[in-house]
Amino acid sequence: MDDCDTCDSVGVPGVGALPWDIDATTEALIDRVRAGRMHELRGDVPLEDMIPLLESELMYTIVSFVECLDCGRVLFWGLCVRGNPILRHAERTDIDHRQWGAVPPRAR
Ligand SMILES: [Zn+2]
């Protein structure tokens, strides 16, 4: 991405065709939120629950919008059961425009 140390370092490249390492990138986002460098704006579930929900395959796309408190932009982190993860900057209005689906109860 561009010109922000906090945003630039969040995406951990994946292996082979995978653009991003899902576990490491999610963990990097969680670390930055805990460190007060980012702020979770809205997601289908909290960042910590994205991978368990992905693995449950109860929901096919799971997204989270996280604000970077360093540059003020919004990061979109999207996971897809049978697709590639997406990490990009987003507009704040994307949050309101998204069709937020119901989150299924967590698999036990
Ligand atoms: Zn940033």
Side-chain angles (χ1 to χ4, degrees):
M1 289 194 252
D2 49 336
D3 300 334
C4 171
D5 289 343
T6 303
C7 290
D8 282 349
S9 56
V10 113
V12 179
V15 176
L18 196 65
W20 306 108
D21 183 307
I22 292 169
D23 291 292
T25 302
T26 303
E27 199 57 42
L29 286 162
I30 292 169
D31 284 349
R32 280 158 183 72
V33 170
R34 289 202 182 125
R37 294 166 71 190
M38 289 189 171
H39 169 67
E40 285 186 67
L41 291 173
R42 181 153 185 196
D44 288 308
V45 290
L47 288 168
E48 288 86 350
D49 293 340
M50 288 179 81
I51 290 171
L53 182 57
L54 182 76
E55 288 172 347
S56 75
E57 299 196 5
L58 291 171
M59 203 169 167
Y60 285 90
T61 57
I62 304 149
V63 310
S64 190
F65 289 92
V66 181
E67 180 180 26
C68 174
L69 298 177
D70 191 8
C71 68
R73 285 177 293 180
V74 174
L75 281 168
F76 172 92
W77 177 227
L79 305 181
C80 188
V81 168
R82 271 178 265 285
N84 284 326
I86 297 165
L87 180 68
R88 59 172 172 80
H89 279 119
E91 300 299 326
R92 262 162 226 278
T93 49
D94 292 350
I95 300 170
D96 294 327
H97 291 159
R98 183 176 172 79
Q99 299 281 323
W100 293 93
V103 176
R106 196 187 294 197
R108 299 283 173 196

